[in-house]
Amino acid sequence: MVNLSNIKHNALRFTIGTAVDEVVRSYKKNPEKVTENLLKLNNIAKRYFSDMYNPEAFDNAERLIQETDSKWYKFFEKALNEIHPNIIRQMTLNLGYEAAFYGNKKLRESREKYECPVPWVILMDPTSACNLKCTGCWAAEYGYKMNLDYETLSKIVREGRELGTYFYMFTGGEPLVRKADILRLAEEYNDCAFNIFTNGTLIDEEFCKEVQRLGNIVFSISVEGEEEVNDQRRGDGVYQKVMHAFDLMKEYGLLYGTSICYTSKNYKSVTSDEFLDTLIDKGVRYNWYFHYMPVGNSASTDLLLDADERAYMIKRVREIRAMEGGKPIFCLDFQNDGEYVGGCIAGGRNYFHINANGDVEPCVFIHYSNVNIKDCSIVEALQSPIFQAFRKHQPFNHNHLRPCPMLENPDIIQELVHETNAHSTDLVSPESVEHLTNKCYHYAKDWSSVSEEIWKNSKKRDRAYYNYDDSRIEETKIR
């Protein structure tokens, strides 16, 4: 039987792919046509997906396309010049069309059908093994002998794709210890997008060639500042290996950014003009900033920022990515950008994490679970007690600058763990939830008053909170 839905889906994918090709081709041969072709691409999206997003989003995109002297238009032109056409095409189709539009529609249907959160992105650890041992890295707590076999990795993507999830991230451990399996997975599911969080030291020329051929893999490279600061945490010589990886990826026209854990020791270094200029020169397009989390029995609280240091990060990241001024690099701050996404996005609301043992965790930083992916489906995992508890309690704070049920609201994670009888997923050194939260209380108290003042002046403070079912707006819970 002919599946008309699939025919329509494939036809629209072809149309968008052709439009992307025109944008790239016009940049190379007829630059004055770039704006015209970008507007055509935006109009296609507006025509087919205006029922899913506020029409204002497409109008804003149109305005940005027409501002050809702006920082972000020039940022886009530079990307067109430096990124390989196959990467541009595949990532626009897979991360744009499949994940943001077609997949998003399927997600909403799945959430209603199964009455549980279904995420936009799934994080998973192919392995717990790593060739480095970085100070403050929670992954080291897992040990080095756990792996998800290829069949399990494939099952996760296959089931997630059926639900509408077309974006997958690999964490670890060091994911590139499983380099061959990642390439195999990206080829098997060539309509999905894959992002690898990696220390970068295992990236070589042959691997870059394969990534260029596939087109649907991007990278977030761990780097913690300039050479001295970086190597103090990651080991002697690591910084130079990362710089070499940047050079290789730039040569092959790959798409990559950074994954930066900021701490009390490096927060100014990783946001300095000098550091950012180095990254931009190396072809880095984006920075993912992650607040240090004191996860694990041996985790140090000395690396936690104080309230003034965190306030500095909020202000500085917004300066860097501002429409006017700043730097031509896009920055996201996982902890401090909660105001743009309605607080915590974990627990399946927009993402969840599967560790190398198969334990399904609500967050990459919260290592408690009731369920293992080797024994259940993704839907069954999302219907498990701790995920349902997350859904019930989100948002965890009216102030989305205090989004986390652990770091800023430590009583809540204790409540969730005890309420659901979740167990520690750290098989090497299990950490009680009381031990974890005792490291957060002082921090949470200090940040509370400072963040409230910042939140009062935020333009996003009155933004409606959307829970797992986007068709239903829930009132923010006041805590």
Side-chain angles (χ1 to χ4, degrees):
M1 182 181 293
V2 176
N3 189 319
L4 293 178
S5 178
N6 284 345
I7 292 174
K8 181 180 178 181
H9 170 250
N10 292 334
L12 185 52
R13 182 180 170 97
F14 177 82
T15 299
I16 294 173
T18 301
V20 173
D21 292 341
E22 282 300 312
V23 171
V24 175
R25 190 178 300 114
S26 61
Y27 177 78
K28 302 293 184 184
K29 296 185 177 181
N30 200 2
E32 64 272 14
K33 289 277 189 180
V34 172
T35 300
E36 178 184 329
N37 287 322
L38 282 171
L39 289 172
K40 287 180 182 178
L41 186 59
N42 187 58
N43 286 335
I44 291 171
K46 185 175 182 178
R47 176 183 173 188
Y48 288 100
F49 304 110
S50 59
D51 61 327
M52 294 175 55
Y53 294 94
N54 190 324
E56 187 179 324
F58 299 101
D59 295 338
N60 289 339
E62 182 175 322
R63 188 178 67 254
L64 283 172
I65 291 168
Q66 292 173 328
E67 293 176 353
T68 56
D69 290 330
S70 71
K71 177 178 81 171
W72 293 116
Y73 191 90
K74 294 183 183 302
F75 172 86
F76 179 74
E77 279 192 317
K78 186 171 184 282
L80 279 178
N81 184 52
E82 296 179 351
I83 300 174
H84 191 274
N86 190 46
I87 304 287
I88 295 173
R89 187 180 207 278
Q90 289 300 107
M91 291 310 299
T92 302
L93 287 171
N94 295 2
L95 194 55
Y97 172 50
E98 302 289 0
F101 294 112
Y102 175 71
N104 209 1
K105 186 176 181 179
K106 287 174 68 176
L107 285 179
R108 297 179 186 191
E109 294 169 353
S110 296
R111 290 165 181 166
E112 184 175 347
K113 178 179 178 180
Y114 296 107
E115 298 184 338
C116 68
V118 178
W120 191 68
V121 59
I122 295 175
L123 279 67
M124 52 184 165
D125 301 349
T127 181
S128 63
C130 184
N131 59 325
L132 302 179
K133 187 172 176 63
C134 304
T135 303
C137 176
W138 55 263
E141 292 288 314
Y142 277 137
Y144 293 85
K145 296 182 179 179
M146 292 183 288
N147 291 279
L148 295 176
D149 60 31
Y150 184 81
E151 289 68 28
T152 302
L153 295 173
S154 181
K155 167 195 169 180
I156 293 166
V157 179
R158 182 177 65 253
E159 290 185 2
R161 186 174 172 275
E162 290 170 358
L163 294 169
T165 305
Y166 282 79
F167 190 23
Y168 297 86
M169 293 183 175
F170 298 111
T171 50
E174 169 49 53
L176 292 186
V177 171
R178 298 282 301 283
K179 194 182 296 185
D181 282 336
I182 289 175
L183 292 173
R184 180 183 171 190
L185 200 67
E187 184 146 29
E188 181 178 356
Y189 299 97
N190 60 9
D191 59 350
C192 293
F194 298 89
N195 182 12
I196 304 174
F197 285 89
T198 170
N199 62 45
T201 62
L202 300 180
I203 293 174
D204 56 29
E205 194 162 2
E206 284 304 309
F207 183 61
C208 288
K209 289 178 182 177
E210 282 298 287
V211 172
Q212 184 192 83
R213 178 182 68 83
L214 291 169
N216 60 343
I217 297 174
V218 300
F219 299 89
S220 297
I221 310 294
S222 298
V223 60
E224 312 298 344
E226 295 289 358
E227 187 165 11
E228 182 179 353
V229 176
N230 182 84
D231 287 2
Q232 186 177 23
R233 181 170 187 240
R234 295 192 165 269
D236 291 343
V238 171
Y239 180 84
Q240 288 303 325
K241 290 179 180 178
V242 170
M243 294 302 109
H244 176 65
F246 283 149
D247 290 340
L248 272 179
M249 292 188 292
K250 187 174 182 180
E251 178 184 346
Y252 281 89
L254 306 188
L255 176 57
Y256 50 94
T258 65
S259 169
I260 300 172
C261 175
Y262 59 88
T263 72
S264 60
K265 309 298 182 186
N266 74 346
Y267 72 101
K268 285 194 173 179
S269 174
V270 295
T271 56
S272 69
D273 286 340
E274 295 77 12
F275 177 66
L276 294 168
D277 289 342
T278 297
L279 297 182
I280 293 165
D281 182 61
K282 291 292 184 179
V284 172
R285 312 291 165 188
Y286 61 88
N287 291 336
W288 272 97
Y289 285 109
F290 293 90
H291 190 292
Y292 170 74
M293 297 290 193
V295 177
N297 282 313
S298 61
S300 169
T301 57
D302 293 340
L303 296 175
L304 284 168
L305 286 76
D306 65 28
D308 289 339
E309 291 166 346
R310 181 163 173 183
Y312 174 90
M313 280 298 298
I314 292 176
K315 180 174 181 290
R316 179 58 179 151
V317 168
R318 283 153 178 71
E319 288 175 349
I320 294 166
R321 70 182 180 209
M323 287 290 293
E324 301 293 333
K327 297 287 184 180
I329 187 169
F330 188 71
C331 297
L332 303 99
D333 188 325
F334 190 74
Q335 203 70 12
N336 291 328
D337 283 341
E339 61 182 298
Y340 299 99
V341 291
C344 174
I345 64 171
R349 179 175 167 243
N350 272 318
Y351 96 97
F352 68 88
H353 177 241
I354 304 173
N355 72 18
N357 189 52
D359 298 304
V360 186
E361 303 167 333
C363 176
V364 71
F365 299 114
I366 293 179
H367 302 157
Y368 301 94
S369 178
N370 308 103
V371 67
N372 192 290
I373 199 64
K374 297 172 185 175
D375 305 319
C376 69
S377 67
I378 286 178
V379 168
E380 288 169 332
L382 292 168
Q383 292 172 339
S384 69
I386 196 164
F387 280 85
Q388 291 301 309
F390 255 72
R391 172 197 161 194
K392 182 176 71 174
H393 289 279
Q394 285 170 322
F396 299 114
N397 200 295
H398 76 284
N399 179 345
H400 295 325
L401 293 174
R402 297 166 60 198
C404 181
M406 176 189 73
L407 186 65
E408 295 109 350
N409 306 279
D411 283 333
I412 297 178
I413 192 60
Q414 284 204 44
E415 180 183 342
L416 296 178
V417 169
H418 291 309
E419 174 187 323
T420 62
N421 292 315
H423 61 84
S424 171
T425 54
D426 190 325
L427 301 183
V428 176
S429 181
E431 181 176 28
S432 71
V433 70
E434 289 79 14
H435 184 272
L436 172 66
T437 54
N438 280 340
K439 291 176 285 186
C440 301
Y441 280 114
H442 180 73
Y443 176 95
K445 181 180 178 181
D446 285 353
W447 177 237
S448 176
S449 58
V450 174
S451 65
E452 284 301 315
E453 192 62 33
I454 299 172
W455 183 244
K456 277 197 300 186
N457 297 315
S458 170
K459 294 178 181 179
K460 297 287 184 181
R461 67 184 183 276
D462 295 323
R463 181 189 179 113
Y465 173 76
Y466 289 79
N467 206 343
Y468 84 102
D469 180 352
D470 291 332
S471 67
R472 179 188 62 193
I473 301 176
E474 294 194 351
E475 293 183 2
T476 299
K477 303 176 183 67
I478 304 298
R479 291 184 181 270

